[in-house]
Amino acid sequence: MTSSIPVTLIPGDGIGPEIVDATVAVLDALGAPFAWDRQVAGLEGVTTAGDPLPKQTLDSIRRTRLALKGPLETPSGGGYRSSNVRLREEFQLYANMRPAKTIIHGGRYDNIDLVVVRENLEGLYIGHEHYIPIDGDPHAVAMATGVNTRQGSRRLLEYAFDLAVATGRKKVTIVHKANIMKALTGIFLETGLEIYESKYKGKFEIDTVIVDACAMKLVLNPWQFDMLVTTNLFGDILSDLVAGLIGGLGMAPGANIGKDAAIFEAVHGSAPDIAGKGLANPIAILLAAAMMLDHCKLHDMATQLRTAIDETVSLDNVKTGDLGGNASTKDFTNSLIRRINANRR
Ligand code: NAD
């Protein structure tokens, strides 16, 4: 086995270092050929390098084009912009892919297998906002500008459609609000239908739904969906909803894919309420690591990892507190490594 895929490793803040250490130990047990380049960002970046996104960290990702990242806190005060948004912009990470697959069976929603693909750089999320003062009230009027481009919509939709074909998805649903935001989300809908007709027709079924109806349908009958593709803000909201269908944020991984790099992470944040207590569930970032293995074409290892996570939870019944168990992060990690080793024999 070559040990030759360089990856930038950012432990991050709060529970980040605990779950990232667990992930590195599990990937070592799998024999994954990653050469880690440890870097800092977020609050840790400010404390140790005076910047939430130090140049050295950016240089490392520029070199490796691949990163596994713990959650980052944006320091309040000091006028810092979110490190996550800056990373997306810096490396043009235009696609955010969030798969949701049931691991813990017997819950309110069983056998969920859904992917949300979210545009990651445009829309109302770009943060072009301002206030208009009136009569001494500096915040009398608040305004925000959303920007969606044909080119930005096209590259995201093509990424999603190619992914649907490559992973055998049967149906792709474009989520929009073109009945009201006719220009802003209409351009995304129009581009999606156009590309489908010209390049993807017959490869999968296409469907469209308005975002509010989509939220209701996801709660009533999520099995009617296979892949959802949508603009930035709608994707942000719906992917958390979808994470809720499979047991919450502790189970939800995400990949940020772009022209210049790919960054893998858990969807959840730094969970300051449980940080340092050894209680964090590492499954979300472990599943993100499985996505990174797939990205590196190490599909067998990705499958071994997903199977072992499944078996540790369902057969060995080892679960952290957020899933109703009493295992610590270390207990879960050790059980998972035992499973990986046992499955190899
Ligand atoms: P959060 O996701 O950190 O926590 C929400 C709740 O879920 C908390 O009760 C937490 O204990 C629990 N939780 C989250 N992950 C868990 C895990 N792996 N195991 C067990 N329980 C878990 O959301 P928040 O409290 O709103 O945000 C905290 C900080 O994280 C903020 O500074 C926010 O900006 C940052 N954040 C970062 C990212 C990222 O880097 N991708 C994403 C979201 C939030």
Side-chain angles (χ1 to χ4, degrees):
M1 176 73 60
T2 56
S3 152
S4 60
I5 304 176
V7 184
T8 304
L9 184 70
I10 303 172
D13 301 315
I15 59 170
E18 301 163 53
I19 57 173
V20 164
D21 283 353
T23 307
V24 169
V26 169
L27 289 169
D28 278 350
L30 276 168
F34 295 133
W36 303 112
D37 180 17
R38 276 185 183 255
Q39 297 291 340
V40 296
L43 223 45
E44 209 210 342
V46 175
T47 324
T48 62
D51 186 342
L53 212 47
K55 181 177 176 304
Q56 214 181 325
T57 303
L58 292 172
D59 285 346
S60 170
I61 303 174
R62 241 170 244 129
R63 198 169 53 245
T64 62
R65 301 167 61 92
L66 197 59
L68 182 66
K69 182 182 89 53
L72 303 179
E73 283 177 39
T74 305
S76 50
Y80 294 112
R81 287 183 69 220
S82 154
S83 307
N84 291 314
V85 173
R86 276 180 64 199
L87 277 172
R88 286 176 206 159
E89 288 173 1
E90 182 72 32
F91 295 102
Q92 287 294 296
L93 306 172
Y94 59 84
N96 184 229
M97 198 230 296
R98 294 183 172 181
K101 195 164 189 291
T102 302
I103 292 183
I104 299 173
H105 296 278
R108 199 177 311 171
Y109 298 95
D110 213 344
N111 299 319
I112 298 290
D113 182 3
L114 256 175
V115 182
V116 180
V117 180
R118 159 189 173 190
E119 202 291 321
N120 223 8
L121 294 174
E122 301 195 328
L124 274 166
Y125 229 80
I126 56 173
H128 288 187
E129 296 192 295
H130 65 276
Y131 293 107
I132 301 175
I134 299 176
D135 290 343
D137 176 359
H139 290 179
V141 178
M143 295 185 72
T145 307
V147 176
N148 282 326
T149 63
R150 171 90 64 203
Q151 190 260 348
S153 300
R154 173 178 278 278
R155 70 178 173 181
L156 183 272
L157 285 152
E158 283 180 343
Y159 170 82
F161 291 175
D162 286 340
L163 182 70
V165 173
T167 54
R169 295 276 162 186
K170 303 272 180 291
K171 184 169 90 169
V172 177
T173 304
I174 303 174
V175 185
H176 64 93
K177 187 75 185 173
N179 53 328
I180 302 294
M181 296 150 93
K182 290 184 187 352
L184 189 67
T185 85
I187 195 173
F188 187 82
L189 173 64
E190 182 187 298
T191 307
L193 293 174
E194 205 176 275
I195 296 172
Y196 178 75
E197 282 299 317
S198 63
K199 274 179 69 181
Y200 296 89
K201 198 167 182 171
K203 295 185 177 165
F204 50 81
E205 193 190 322
I206 196 91
D207 190 17
T208 67
V209 65
I210 294 173
V211 62
D212 37 342
C214 182
M216 178 198 63
K217 288 177 177 200
L218 275 167
V219 173
L220 286 179
N221 174 14
W223 301 277
Q224 68 189 288
F225 297 112
D226 196 6
M227 175 185 279
L228 301 173
V229 56
T230 189
T231 46
N232 207 339
L233 180 62
F234 298 161
D236 183 44
I237 298 165
L238 290 180
S239 58
D240 271 30
L241 192 165
V242 167
L245 300 176
I246 56 155
L249 287 176
M251 314 291 282
N256 297 287
I257 309 286
K259 202 162 60 55
D260 304 324
I263 301 184
F264 297 82
E265 63 181 345
V267 169
H268 62 72
S270 60
D273 50 334
I274 57 165
K277 296 183 181 162
L279 300 174
N281 179 359
I283 291 181
I285 193 153
L286 283 162
L287 291 172
M291 291 168 84
M292 189 165 86
L293 287 166
D294 273 332
H295 180 82
C296 297
K297 309 222 176 322
L298 297 164
H299 300 299
D300 283 352
M301 270 185 201
T303 305
Q304 277 178 59
L305 176 52
R306 291 191 182 102
T307 307
I309 292 171
D310 223 328
E311 290 171 347
T312 304
V313 171
S314 345
L315 300 181
D316 303 336
N317 202 23
V318 180
K319 295 176 195 155
T320 46
D322 57 312
L323 302 179
N326 54 18
S328 66
T329 313
K330 278 212 166 71
D331 295 335
F332 181 86
T333 309
N334 291 338
S335 297
L336 179 59
I337 291 174
R338 271 197 296 279
R339 264 285 163 194
I340 289 170
N341 291 333
N343 288 348
R344 198 175 288 136
R345 274 184 221 122

